[in-house]
């Protein structure tokens, strides 16, 4: 397999057709394509999340955005063998070492969708605990990100950025709220950077999470308490309704720049 820079529109369309979350992070610096002969079979992107400085300084107070990248999207074509993502990750780390001066590659494994982060574990990333995140789930089982939800809140004027539906609106929309884990992983780019992990506010280790560590909390419309479950309470294969607009936007090159 060969890794090389990719046009952002090509990368976004590839991701939109294959990734469970089609929305591409806006703060993306590099789009890399993985080719088998001349065929694009994988995409990985690097950049930052919505709060770049906050993310790194929460982990390393003395560092700044220039010192790290976060994996934005990583996906392979379904026809590729199971270990293909690990090969893509290995090629990407080599590329970053040759083409950037970052100290750390940071990422999250989305336990909310049932991923403990096995691909990062096999690549010798270090684990740094978890945080709790949330999503909304429709009556049909579709997962809807809170940012997507903002455009669908009924009977509301002058919507503010970050606005969430209230209990009555959740009842009207027949939406459940689900909480789950996101697992932190980091890869030091040099031995020196690995030694500097001792300065982190987080304890990094090889004590990796597994399937047994996945857990969800769900509060259905009209309910006041969350109920714990060890079964993912939504279906990523469900036909999209709320998310369909986002995916269709990605398929039009004329609209891509609005989402990148």
């Amino acid at each position: 397999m060969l890794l090389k820079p990719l046009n952002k529109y090509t990368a976004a369309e590839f991701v939109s057709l294959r990734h469970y979350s089609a929305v591409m992070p806006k703060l993306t610096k590099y789009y890399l394509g993985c080719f088998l002969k001349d065929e694009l079979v994988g995409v990985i992107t690097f950049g930052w999340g919505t709060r770049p400085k906050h993310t790194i300084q929460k982990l390393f107070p003395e560092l700044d955005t220039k010192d790290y990248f976060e994996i934005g999207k990583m996906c392979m074509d379904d026809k590729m063998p199971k270990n293909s993502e690990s090969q893509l990750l290995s090629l990407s780390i080599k590329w970053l070492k040759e083409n950037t001066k970052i100290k750390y590659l940071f990422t999250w494994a989305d336990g909310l969708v049932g991923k403990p982060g096995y691909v990062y574990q096999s690549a010798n990333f270090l684990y740094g605990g978890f945080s709790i995140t949330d999503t909304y789930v429709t009556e049909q089982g579709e997962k809807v990100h809170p940012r997507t939800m903002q455009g669908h809140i009924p009977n509301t004027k002058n919507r503010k950025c970050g606005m969430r539906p209230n209990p009555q609106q959740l009842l009207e929309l027949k939406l459940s709220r689900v909480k789950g884990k996101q697992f932190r992983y980091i890869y030091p780019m040099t031995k020196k950077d690995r030694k500097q992990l001792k300065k982190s506010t987080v304890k990094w280790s090889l004590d990796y999470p597994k399937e047994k560590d996945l857990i969800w909390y769900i509060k259905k419309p009209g309910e006041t308490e969350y109920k714990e479950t060890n079964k993912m309470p939504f279906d990523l294969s469900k036909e999209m309704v709320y998310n369909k607009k986002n995916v269709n936007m990605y398929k039009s090159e004329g609209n891509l720049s609005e989402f990148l």
Side-chain angles (χ1 to χ4, degrees), residues 136-142 154 167-177 219-222 242:
Y136 295 102
V137 180
T138 69
E139 189 177 32
Q140 291 72 35
E142 180 185 4
Q168 180 58 38
Q169 291 165 339
L170 289 174
L171 193 61
E172 292 175 17
L173 293 167
K174 298 180 180 179
L175 288 175
S176 298
R177 190 174 180 183
K219 184 169 64 175
K220 295 183 178 181
Y242 282 85

Side-chain angles (χ1 to χ4, degrees), residues 111 114-122 127 181 183 185 206-216:
K115 297 179 180 292
Y118 292 138
V119 66
Y120 306 122
Q121 295 173 20
S122 65
Y127 171 62
K181 295 179 179 179
F183 302 104
Y185 286 92
L206 298 175
D207 187 17
Y208 295 135
K210 303 297 180 185
E211 296 282 343
K212 63 180 177 61
D213 297 300
L214 296 172
I215 195 168
W216 293 266

